[in-house]
Amino acid sequence: MIRQTSFHPVLIILFFFLVLLVIAPALASGRNDGMEGTSFHDASPDNSSGNVQLGPRPFFLVEDMEGGELKSKLARCGAGPFRKTYFSIGHRGAPLQFPEHTAESYRAAARMGAGILECDVTFTRDKELVCRHSQCDLHTTTNILETPLAEKCTRPFTPAQFDASGNLIQEASARCCTSDITLDEFKSLKGKMDAFNPGARNVAEYVGGTPAWRTDLYAGPTSGTLLSHRESIELFSKLGAKMTPELKSAEVAMPYDSDGDGVGDYTQEHYAQQMIDEYKAADVKPRDVFPQSFDIRDIRYWIAREPEFGRQAVYLDDANTVADLPNASQLTAYKAEGINIVAPPIFALLDVDGGGNIIPSSYALQARAAGLGLITWTLERSGILADGDNGFYYQTFDSAIRREGDVMKVLDVLNREVGVLGIFSDWPATVSYYANCMKLK
């Protein structure tokens, strides 16, 4: 028989208080030690790798699908949990609703599970690299025309011209380039949704024109934070994302700022090297970077001069129609010279069979036969799908698209039958939902 001993309640409370004083610091120290050295060292809200929030759109798309095995499988995933996936690539961030290439757009993409984020890279007048889709798009993607920097634009704003009957005879225009201004001046601007009004009579009208299926809700005066390339590397690292910078074609003569003696000129090779050097300076591992270019000379440069980065360089295909796509022998030649990944637009990879089903295209089969990895662009960039007029990205298979939920069929064929490595999207949540459901990393 064991004697029961009673303790005074005050003594019990005091005992546990002393225990906590001793072990709490040790527990905190152990937790910090465990986090140190990992890729998710920042536990701030910005680090969305473990806190993916997809919002209502993917669920709307699944609910809108026609009944069948795919819909049933996707519907069963609705409870999550959802995690970051490298199959989901944030195209300029999340520009379906956020101004592209802004800090806010990138954070939104990361929160939607995009495991890879894109900075399109161009340069300023003082040869600093910045994130912008085109060297000369500031007049449609920023507020530059509403600032004193408008005076530095290559071509100032010109209002639209109308005839006596009010018919438009000449569209409003402007041309403002990153190479018109310095990095500090660039950083003083605010990003906006990429749009303009061709019938504008003044600047206030010109900077409007956002399509109805997008929104200006997140393009207010306190958002739209523009980034240098270096800042994008820092942010993406903080978000726990891999990086896919695209070296944009210069829209100024190269070598840039040349005095004719060939000494100290800013050549295309300097430009291509500068981009890679900024990842090396930030100690980003080459395996976490997928450099891209539409110019095969850039890809060849990286393969030759920076082979660790060149190994997974992405050669972008700028075909506008099927007739523009490379043939089987060209694809084989790409592989032979060390190109491992190609990235054509979505239409290049899909076709429709006699029964109206979406199937892999001949190009897709030829690229896979050549041993090439495939990435494609761009999902969620075509507006309303049910209207049957979905333009560039859907040109080879638009006849098979009937409703918004059909975007999930597109994803399924790209994944299971084409075998793409990843998909650029203007709203990464859609791809992230599918990838999580199919257990894609």
Side-chain angles (χ1 to χ4, degrees):
M1 185 174 182
I2 300 175
R3 180 185 297 177
Q4 294 185 357
T5 304
S6 62
F7 293 94
H8 195 284
V10 174
L11 293 176
I12 294 173
I13 293 170
L14 182 60
F15 172 76
F16 281 107
F17 177 73
L18 291 171
V19 169
L20 287 172
L21 284 176
V22 173
I23 68 172
L27 289 173
S29 176
R31 182 167 60 247
N32 291 337
D33 289 344
M35 290 297 291
E36 193 170 353
T38 69
S39 57
F40 306 117
H41 54 83
D42 184 349
S44 73
D46 279 349
N47 191 332
S48 64
S49 57
N51 185 26
V52 171
Q53 305 164 14
L54 300 185
R57 181 161 176 77
F59 301 90
F60 160 77
L61 294 172
V62 172
E63 290 165 3
D64 189 61
M65 295 175 68
E66 294 176 335
E69 182 180 348
L70 178 60
K71 179 175 182 175
S72 297
K73 182 170 185 176
L74 292 174
R76 288 195 296 270
C77 301
F82 300 105
R83 297 179 175 85
K84 175 183 68 179
T85 168
Y86 299 124
F87 192 73
S88 180
I89 306 172
H91 179 243
R92 315 182 200 175
L96 179 64
Q97 294 195 3
F98 288 82
E100 63 186 45
H101 293 306
T102 62
E104 293 81 2
S105 186
Y106 290 134
R107 291 191 185 103
R111 289 193 177 101
M112 285 187 268
I116 304 176
L117 299 174
E118 177 192 45
C119 167
D120 288 330
V121 179
T122 188
F123 57 87
T124 59
R125 191 178 72 199
D126 47 351
K127 306 182 188 72
E128 295 289 344
L129 302 183
V130 295
C131 297
R132 199 91 323 248
H133 179 249
S134 167
Q135 188 164 38
C136 296
D137 71 1
L138 296 182
H139 50 288
T140 65
T141 65
T142 76
N143 65 338
I144 190 170
L145 292 177
E146 299 175 303
T147 76
L149 291 174
E151 297 178 359
K152 297 189 175 185
C153 290
T154 298
R155 187 172 69 246
F157 171 73
T158 302
Q161 301 296 314
F162 299 85
D163 63 19
S165 300
N167 299 309
L168 180 66
I169 57 176
Q170 182 176 322
E171 292 186 354
S173 67
R175 183 177 177 84
C176 303
C177 307
T178 57
S179 50
D180 293 333
I181 57 178
T182 67
L183 174 61
D184 286 344
E185 291 169 333
F186 173 82
K187 289 297 301 298
S188 73
L189 300 175
K190 291 292 183 180
K192 73 174 193 68
M193 296 300 284
D194 184 11
F196 74 99
N197 176 4
R201 293 176 169 84
N202 53 56
V203 166
E205 292 179 357
Y206 185 81
V207 298
T210 301
W213 48 273
R214 292 184 182 270
T215 181
D216 289 315
L217 188 62
Y218 304 109
T222 60
S223 57
T225 307
L226 302 190
L227 298 174
S228 69
H229 179 237
R230 288 191 187 93
E231 289 172 327
S232 78
I233 295 172
E234 180 181 358
L235 177 60
F236 297 175
S237 297
K238 184 178 181 182
L239 294 171
K242 294 191 177 185
M243 310 169 196
T244 184
E246 180 191 332
L247 194 73
K248 303 304 295 189
S249 297
E251 297 188 40
V252 293
M254 297 292 276
Y256 176 63
D257 201 21
S258 174
D259 58 8
D261 65 2
V263 177
D265 289 348
Y266 189 66
T267 66
Q268 183 68 26
E269 291 76 15
H270 290 139
Y271 178 31
Q273 186 64 52
Q274 181 182 1
M275 189 182 86
I276 298 300
D277 285 345
E278 294 194 352
Y279 289 96
K280 294 164 73 174
D283 200 27
V284 177
K285 294 179 176 61
R287 68 170 181 264
D288 292 334
V289 183
F290 297 83
Q292 314 169 70
S293 180
F294 281 103
D295 190 334
I296 198 169
R297 293 171 296 180
D298 296 331
I299 306 297
R300 288 168 175 158
Y301 176 87
W302 293 324
I303 291 171
R305 301 294 183 87
E306 293 287 351
E308 287 187 293
F309 290 89
R311 189 175 299 117
Q312 56 187 35
V314 181
Y315 181 34
L316 298 161
D317 195 314
D318 61 354
N320 288 313
T321 67
V322 172
D324 300 324
L325 293 168
N327 57 36
S329 62
Q330 290 172 304
L331 292 170
T332 300
Y334 293 163
K335 183 65 176 179
E337 63 175 307
I339 297 173
N340 292 315
I341 305 173
V342 294
I346 291 174
F347 80 80
L349 299 178
L350 300 177
D351 205 342
V352 178
D353 66 14
N357 302 302
I358 303 173
I359 59 173
S361 68
S362 296
Y363 171 94
L365 299 176
Q366 291 167 354
R368 292 299 305 275
L372 294 165
L374 290 166
I375 293 173
T376 194
W377 45 280
T378 304
L379 208 70
E380 297 281 35
R381 198 167 177 81
S382 301
I384 303 299
L385 300 181
D387 61 10
D389 182 20
N390 300 307
F392 177 78
Y393 296 103
Y394 285 74
Q395 61 185 276
T396 55
F397 60 98
D398 211 356
S399 61
I401 302 300
R402 296 284 185 272
R403 55 202 305 146
E404 307 313 306
D406 285 343
V407 72
M408 291 299 185
K409 291 198 304 185
V410 173
L411 276 169
D412 197 51
V413 176
L414 288 170
N415 170 44
R416 292 192 305 105
E417 299 184 50
V418 177
V420 298
L421 301 173
I423 299 175
F424 283 94
S425 177
D426 277 11
W427 200 245
T430 301
V431 179
S432 296
Y433 184 102
Y434 175 88
N436 271 267
C437 193
M438 298 301 173
K439 304 187 185 310
L440 304 177
K441 293 184 178 180

mmCIF file with all atom_site columns, all heavy atoms in Angstrom, residues 22 54 87 110 158 221 224 356 395-396 428:
data_model
loop_
_atom_site.group_PDB
_atom_site.id
_atom_site.type_symbol
_atom_site.label_atom_id
_atom_site.label_alt_id
_atom_site.label_comp_id
_atom_site.label_asym_id
_atom_site.label_entity_id
_atom_site.label_seq_id
_atom_site.pdbx_PDB_ins_code
_atom_site.Cartn_x
_atom_site.Cartn_y
_atom_site.Cartn_z
_atom_site.occupancy
_atom_site.B_iso_or_equiv
_atom_site.pdbx_formal_charge
_atom_site.auth_seq_id
_atom_site.auth_comp_id
_atom_site.auth_asym_id
_atom_site.auth_atom_id
_atom_site.pdbx_PDB_model_num
ATOM 1  N N   . VAL A 1 22  ? 13.681  27.379 -15.920 1.00 0.00 ? 22  VAL A N   1
ATOM 2  C CA  . VAL A 1 22  ? 14.888  26.628 -16.270 1.00 0.00 ? 22  VAL A CA  1
ATOM 3  C C   . VAL A 1 22  ? 14.849  26.110 -17.694 1.00 0.00 ? 22  VAL A C   1
ATOM 4  O O   . VAL A 1 22  ? 15.806  26.212 -18.455 1.00 0.00 ? 22  VAL A O   1
ATOM 5  C CB  . VAL A 1 22  ? 15.103  25.463 -15.271 1.00 0.00 ? 22  VAL A CB  1
ATOM 6  C CG1 . VAL A 1 22  ? 16.255  24.573 -15.730 1.00 0.00 ? 22  VAL A CG1 1
ATOM 7  C CG2 . VAL A 1 22  ? 15.377  26.004 -13.880 1.00 0.00 ? 22  VAL A CG2 1
ATOM 8  N N   . LEU A 1 54  ? -5.005  29.473 -51.240 1.00 0.00 ? 54  LEU A N   1
ATOM 9  C CA  . LEU A 1 54  ? -5.358  29.467 -52.660 1.00 0.00 ? 54  LEU A CA  1
ATOM 10 C C   . LEU A 1 54  ? -6.544  30.356 -53.004 1.00 0.00 ? 54  LEU A C   1
ATOM 11 O O   . LEU A 1 54  ? -6.740  30.681 -54.169 1.00 0.00 ? 54  LEU A O   1
ATOM 12 C CB  . LEU A 1 54  ? -5.643  28.033 -53.113 1.00 0.00 ? 54  LEU A CB  1
ATOM 13 C CG  . LEU A 1 54  ? -4.479  27.051 -52.966 1.00 0.00 ? 54  LEU A CG  1
ATOM 14 C CD1 . LEU A 1 54  ? -4.859  25.702 -53.553 1.00 0.00 ? 54  LEU A CD1 1
ATOM 15 C CD2 . LEU A 1 54  ? -3.221  27.588 -53.645 1.00 0.00 ? 54  LEU A CD2 1
ATOM 16 N N   . PHE A 1 87  ? 5.895   23.080 -59.632 1.00 0.00 ? 87  PHE A N   1
ATOM 17 C CA  . PHE A 1 87  ? 5.130   22.971 -60.870 1.00 0.00 ? 87  PHE A CA  1
ATOM 18 C C   . PHE A 1 87  ? 4.441   24.291 -61.184 1.00 0.00 ? 87  PHE A C   1
ATOM 19 O O   . PHE A 1 87  ? 4.112   24.575 -62.332 1.00 0.00 ? 87  PHE A O   1
ATOM 20 C CB  . PHE A 1 87  ? 4.098   21.849 -60.717 1.00 0.00 ? 87  PHE A CB  1
ATOM 21 C CG  . PHE A 1 87  ? 3.428   21.428 -61.991 1.00 0.00 ? 87  PHE A CG  1
ATOM 22 C CD1 . PHE A 1 87  ? 4.108   20.683 -62.938 1.00 0.00 ? 87  PHE A CD1 1
ATOM 23 C CD2 . PHE A 1 87  ? 2.101   21.758 -62.238 1.00 0.00 ? 87  PHE A CD2 1
ATOM 24 C CE1 . PHE A 1 87  ? 3.485   20.277 -64.117 1.00 0.00 ? 87  PHE A CE1 1
ATOM 25 C CE2 . PHE A 1 87  ? 1.472   21.360 -63.401 1.00 0.00 ? 87  PHE A CE2 1
ATOM 26 C CZ  . PHE A 1 87  ? 2.174   20.619 -64.349 1.00 0.00 ? 87  PHE A CZ  1
ATOM 27 N N   . ALA A 1 110 ? 3.612   33.818 -54.183 1.00 0.00 ? 110 ALA A N   1
ATOM 28 C CA  . ALA A 1 110 ? 4.197   32.878 -53.221 1.00 0.00 ? 110 ALA A CA  1
ATOM 29 C C   . ALA A 1 110 ? 3.133   32.355 -52.269 1.00 0.00 ? 110 ALA A C   1
ATOM 30 O O   . ALA A 1 110 ? 3.110   31.163 -51.939 1.00 0.00 ? 110 ALA A O   1
ATOM 31 C CB  . ALA A 1 110 ? 5.327   33.550 -52.449 1.00 0.00 ? 110 ALA A CB  1
ATOM 32 N N   . THR A 1 158 ? 1.347   61.576 -76.447 1.00 0.00 ? 158 THR A N   1
ATOM 33 C CA  . THR A 1 158 ? 0.635   62.280 -77.521 1.00 0.00 ? 158 THR A CA  1
ATOM 34 C C   . THR A 1 158 ? -0.824  61.852 -77.480 1.00 0.00 ? 158 THR A C   1
ATOM 35 O O   . THR A 1 158 ? -1.113  60.648 -77.545 1.00 0.00 ? 158 THR A O   1
ATOM 36 C CB  . THR A 1 158 ? 1.225   61.933 -78.898 1.00 0.00 ? 158 THR A CB  1
ATOM 37 O OG1 . THR A 1 158 ? 2.613   62.278 -78.920 1.00 0.00 ? 158 THR A OG1 1
ATOM 38 C CG2 . THR A 1 158 ? 0.483   62.667 -80.002 1.00 0.00 ? 158 THR A CG2 1
ATOM 39 N N   . PRO A 1 221 ? -2.125  53.882 -54.642 1.00 0.00 ? 221 PRO A N   1
ATOM 40 C CA  . PRO A 1 221 ? -0.928  54.733 -54.515 1.00 0.00 ? 221 PRO A CA  1
ATOM 41 C C   . PRO A 1 221 ? 0.058   54.265 -53.451 1.00 0.00 ? 221 PRO A C   1
ATOM 42 O O   . PRO A 1 221 ? 1.209   54.693 -53.456 1.00 0.00 ? 221 PRO A O   1
ATOM 43 C CB  . PRO A 1 221 ? -1.508  56.104 -54.152 1.00 0.00 ? 221 PRO A CB  1
ATOM 44 C CG  . PRO A 1 221 ? -2.856  55.811 -53.568 1.00 0.00 ? 221 PRO A CG  1
ATOM 45 C CD  . PRO A 1 221 ? -3.360  54.599 -54.282 1.00 0.00 ? 221 PRO A CD  1
ATOM 46 N N   . GLY A 1 224 ? 2.210   48.711 -55.450 1.00 0.00 ? 224 GLY A N   1
ATOM 47 C CA  . GLY A 1 224 ? 2.937   48.788 -56.713 1.00 0.00 ? 224 GLY A CA  1
ATOM 48 C C   . GLY A 1 224 ? 4.419   49.028 -56.532 1.00 0.00 ? 224 GLY A C   1
ATOM 49 O O   . GLY A 1 224 ? 5.035   49.797 -57.282 1.00 0.00 ? 224 GLY A O   1
ATOM 50 N N   . GLY A 1 356 ? -12.785 15.724 -80.500 1.00 0.00 ? 356 GLY A N   1
ATOM 51 C CA  . GLY A 1 356 ? -12.867 16.974 -79.756 1.00 0.00 ? 356 GLY A CA  1
ATOM 52 C C   . GLY A 1 356 ? -12.147 16.952 -78.427 1.00 0.00 ? 356 GLY A C   1
ATOM 53 O O   . GLY A 1 356 ? -12.389 17.813 -77.578 1.00 0.00 ? 356 GLY A O   1
ATOM 54 N N   . GLN A 1 395 ? -5.079  28.898 -79.412 1.00 0.00 ? 395 GLN A N   1
ATOM 55 C CA  . GLN A 1 395 ? -5.386  28.856 -80.838 1.00 0.00 ? 395 GLN A CA  1
ATOM 56 C C   . GLN A 1 395 ? -5.468  27.464 -81.430 1.00 0.00 ? 395 GLN A C   1
ATOM 57 O O   . GLN A 1 395 ? -6.204  27.238 -82.396 1.00 0.00 ? 395 GLN A O   1
ATOM 58 C CB  . GLN A 1 395 ? -4.368  29.702 -81.619 1.00 0.00 ? 395 GLN A CB  1
ATOM 59 C CG  . GLN A 1 395 ? -2.927  29.243 -81.490 1.00 0.00 ? 395 GLN A CG  1
ATOM 60 C CD  . GLN A 1 395 ? -1.945  30.181 -82.185 1.00 0.00 ? 395 GLN A CD  1
ATOM 61 O OE1 . GLN A 1 395 ? -1.725  30.077 -83.389 1.00 0.00 ? 395 GLN A OE1 1
ATOM 62 N NE2 . GLN A 1 395 ? -1.371  31.112 -81.428 1.00 0.00 ? 395 GLN A NE2 1
ATOM 63 N N   . THR A 1 396 ? -4.756  26.487 -80.917 1.00 0.00 ? 396 THR A N   1
ATOM 64 C CA  . THR A 1 396 ? -4.766  25.133 -81.490 1.00 0.00 ? 396 THR A CA  1
ATOM 65 C C   . THR A 1 396 ? -5.826  24.221 -80.887 1.00 0.00 ? 396 THR A C   1
ATOM 66 O O   . THR A 1 396 ? -6.075  23.133 -81.419 1.00 0.00 ? 396 THR A O   1
ATOM 67 C CB  . THR A 1 396 ? -3.396  24.463 -81.310 1.00 0.00 ? 396 THR A CB  1
ATOM 68 O OG1 . THR A 1 396 ? -3.057  24.480 -79.909 1.00 0.00 ? 396 THR A OG1 1
ATOM 69 C CG2 . THR A 1 396 ? -2.324  25.179 -82.104 1.00 0.00 ? 396 THR A CG2 1
ATOM 70 N N   . PRO A 1 428 ? -1.244  31.913 -59.899 1.00 0.00 ? 428 PRO A N   1
ATOM 71 C CA  . PRO A 1 428 ? -0.642  30.619 -59.578 1.00 0.00 ? 428 PRO A CA  1
ATOM 72 C C   . PRO A 1 428 ? -1.521  29.676 -58.765 1.00 0.00 ? 428 PRO A C   1
ATOM 73 O O   . PRO A 1 428 ? -1.284  28.458 -58.773 1.00 0.00 ? 428 PRO A O   1
ATOM 74 C CB  . PRO A 1 428 ? 0.615   31.011 -58.796 1.00 0.00 ? 428 PRO A CB  1
ATOM 75 C CG  . PRO A 1 428 ? 0.949   32.384 -59.273 1.00 0.00 ? 428 PRO A CG  1
ATOM 76 C CD  . PRO A 1 428 ? -0.363  33.044 -59.514 1.00 0.00 ? 428 PRO A CD  1
#
